[in-house]
Amino acid sequence: MSETTLSGSLPCLASLAGVGVATVTLRAAYLTWRPEPGNGIGRGTPTLAALASGTCFLTANSRKTAVASFTSRTVHTTRIDMEVQGRPNLLDCLRADHFTLEISGVNRRRLTRPLAFSAGLEFDVQMIQGATA
């Protein structure tokens, strides 16, 4: 459905991948969509209900990791609350020069136009014992 490559040097990642960080795990993941009035995304579907299921992946250094997924029961009108898959340490991914965020999915109905949605990822950070950020 969507894929974007991000720089590991983004300012918002500085506290996640800084010196003294031991592990970074995903706490929550969601997608939000701001619909344009009168512009449905699928035939007869003006909401995200056109989506049936999907998976969120992070890829860095030739390593692809599934971090979250969703099913039709977590799809709402303009938001998808994803379920975190396992708790892999994402520190190496976030410290890479670049990493890819990918959302793949299955549609219930054929989409009539591209989706412009935002992905929100919330992380838990664990510091090395005795280290300060």
Side-chain angles (χ1 to χ4, degrees), residues 18-104:
V19 175
V21 174
T23 60
V24 177
T25 55
L26 188 63
R27 177 185 339 125
Y30 55 90
L31 302 174
T32 55
W33 174 60
R34 292 204 172 126
E36 297 171 20
N39 254 344
I41 60 172
R43 294 184 178 146
T45 307
T47 71
L48 289 178
L51 304 177
S53 63
T55 305
C56 176
F57 299 95
L58 287 177
T59 304
N61 303 319
S62 301
R63 189 170 150 224
K64 186 173 186 174
T65 305
V67 294
S69 66
F70 66 90
T71 62
S72 59
R73 68 178 176 77
T74 61
V75 175
H76 307 286
T77 305
T78 59
R79 181 178 168 111
I80 297 173
D81 295 309
M82 293 190 273
E83 297 177 15
V84 174
Q85 301 296 301
R87 302 234 346 135
N89 186 355
L90 302 173
L91 185 57
D92 288 340
C93 180
L94 299 175
R95 282 185 175 161
D97 289 338
H98 292 88
F99 62 93
T100 301
L101 172 66
E102 173 188 345
I103 310 291
S104 64

